[in-house]
Amino acid sequence: MTEAILLVGGKGTRLRPLTVHTPKPMVPAAGVPFLTHQLARARAAGVEHIVLATSYLAEVFEPYFGDGAALGLHIEYVTEDEPLGTGGAIRNVASRLRSGPDEPVLIFNGDILTGLDIRALVRTHETTGADVSLHLTKVTDPRAYGLVPTDGSGRVLAFLEKPQTPEEIVTDQINAGAYVFRRSVIDTIPAGRVVSVERETFPGLLAAGAHLQGMVDSTYWLDLGTPAAFVRGSADLVLGRAPSPAVPGRCGDRLVLPTATVAPDAKLAGGTVVGEGAFVAEGARVFGSTILPGAVIEPGAVVTDSLIGTRARVGERSVLTGTVIGDGAVVGPRNELREGVRVWCDATIPAGALRFSSDQ
């Protein structure tokens, strides 16, 4: 296997305001754009040629990654004029592929952090003679996912939409968002219109008698679609729980980028990242959080399981838990922000304006 398609065109609406100015795959995780981790893992598995299927804020990708040479890759870019869905995006980049009709093409989504053994998925695809092979993972509560039951040999039996009743939960296996396609199968996807591989392509192939193979790999897997998940994924990369050759430093309790400044008595723990040019002042405590480039955490602030946007500022003695602060936003001193709060880009919260406790 020498080539892959990376689907990076989504708008990342569940991650806003992080994705107002930045496409989801380019939001930093463990100090580098999340996409860097995926590219590095693909290269480590033997992939040499990658086509990025872009759409939302497409102009951001190429200036950063260029032709991919710095990562040992050859990267090409194809931009959709209108969003085409997962299947439509795959079909839209088919002309850039170099593989022969029966050769494998790896495809994965730009918002999944996983420890998947990519080589094992390709071996499964080749040894079973499948038309499409899918990475499946087991989850404790599969109600939010599409279920993929298989027979004893791993052959896919059905694709079941999100179950609504206990009787509909026939398996704990879900589609984990990474596939190997026989090259010729990609050409059967309709061109020029919206197509979902999950709802149209895969069920259609199954109905036509194609061989779809599932491989269960229950190593680390996380959908980074929500702010809480994204913060957790970044922390897990720093802590070494999620594998990536692209983490810019040793795994440990914290990752401080070279031009960041952290006061000697500030406390950082839980996989916290402090980005380039960011500043964490004296007495501040930051746990399991991501501080993006140029952000400022003022004296005595406490930030837990949160993401602080580029050039944002958290005021003195403010307490943030499970929150997202957009790029350029200012949280004044002595505020309290709790789980689920999202402060939009460039917004300003005056001193002591938001609290969940007395100001005394």
Side-chain angles (χ1 to χ4, degrees):
M1 180 190 61
T2 61
E3 66 181 348
I5 299 170
L6 247 170
L7 305 176
V8 293
K11 291 185 175 180
T13 52
R14 290 184 298 158
L15 275 178
R16 290 172 70 86
L18 296 179
T19 51
V20 170
H21 304 301
T22 307
K24 178 167 53 176
M26 296 298 288
V27 176
V32 296
F34 173 67
L35 180 56
T36 309
H37 300 289
Q38 292 186 304
L39 293 171
R41 294 199 74 247
R43 182 67 191 95
V47 175
E48 298 172 358
H49 177 224
I50 292 186
V51 184
L52 296 188
T54 66
S55 179
Y56 177 66
L57 296 176
E59 67 277 7
V60 171
F61 295 93
E62 189 168 1
Y64 188 90
F65 292 107
D67 62 4
L71 291 170
L73 291 163
H74 177 216
I75 298 177
E76 295 189 67
Y77 306 83
V78 177
T79 301
E80 302 162 23
D81 296 327
E82 296 290 337
L84 295 171
T86 48
I90 293 168
R91 181 66 177 85
N92 192 52
V93 306
S95 64
R96 301 294 185 92
L97 298 174
R98 305 165 180 171
S99 302
D102 291 324
E103 292 182 325
V105 178
L106 175 70
I107 299 169
F108 48 110
N109 289 314
D111 55 2
I112 301 295
L113 177 59
T114 177
L116 167 68
D117 186 338
I118 296 171
R119 292 182 186 272
L121 181 62
V122 177
R123 283 196 301 271
T124 296
H125 178 79
E126 293 176 332
T127 56
T128 60
D131 295 299
V132 179
S133 297
L134 298 87
H135 171 208
L136 307 179
T137 193
K138 294 178 180 289
V139 295
T140 304
D141 183 359
R143 289 176 297 177
Y145 304 96
L147 309 186
V148 186
T150 55
D151 65 15
S153 68
R155 188 158 182 158
V156 174
L157 300 174
F159 291 90
L160 307 174
E161 282 301 306
K162 298 174 183 178
Q164 302 301 311
T165 65
E167 293 75 24
E168 292 178 297
I169 303 177
V170 298
T171 181
D172 58 357
Q173 297 175 176
I174 66 165
N175 176 357
Y179 321 112
V180 179
F181 273 64
R182 187 190 302 271
R183 169 67 181 87
S184 57
V185 173
I186 292 175
D187 292 327
T188 68
I189 299 173
R193 69 170 175 85
V194 176
V195 181
S196 164
V197 288
E198 300 85 357
R199 295 180 177 85
E200 182 176 344
T201 304
F202 292 157
L205 287 168
L206 205 59
H211 179 178
L212 276 69
Q213 185 73 20
M215 187 194 83
V216 177
D217 183 315
S218 294
T219 53
Y220 186 98
W221 183 87
L222 185 64
D223 177 349
L224 301 185
T226 66
F230 198 95
V231 170
R232 177 183 153 199
S234 178
D236 284 348
L237 283 161
V238 174
L239 293 166
R241 295 171 179 166
S244 171
V247 176
R250 297 177 60 182
C251 291
D253 222 25
R254 60 190 231 170
L255 175 65
V256 179
L257 275 291
T259 59
T261 302
V262 177
D265 67 342
K267 295 182 179 180
L268 310 178
T272 286
V273 182
V274 184
E276 297 279 1
F279 176 64
V280 180
E282 60 272 11
R285 291 177 287 161
V286 186
F287 303 98
S289 298
T290 295
I291 313 301
L292 291 187
V296 174
I297 311 299
E298 293 186 356
V302 180
V303 180
T304 304
D305 298 336
S306 298
L307 194 148
I308 312 303
T310 301
R311 302 178 311 281
R313 179 177 290 268
V314 176
E316 188 172 354
R317 289 187 289 135
S318 281
V319 178
L320 278 59
T321 303
T323 63
V324 174
I325 309 301
D327 296 342
V330 176
V331 178
R334 303 180 309 282
N335 281 289
E336 293 179 14
L337 278 61
R338 293 188 179 177
E339 284 82 356
V341 169
R342 306 185 191 206
V343 178
W344 233 248
C345 299
D346 300 313
T348 297
I349 299 177
L354 292 175
R355 301 193 63 84
F356 288 82
S357 63
S358 169
D359 62 348
Q360 300 298 315

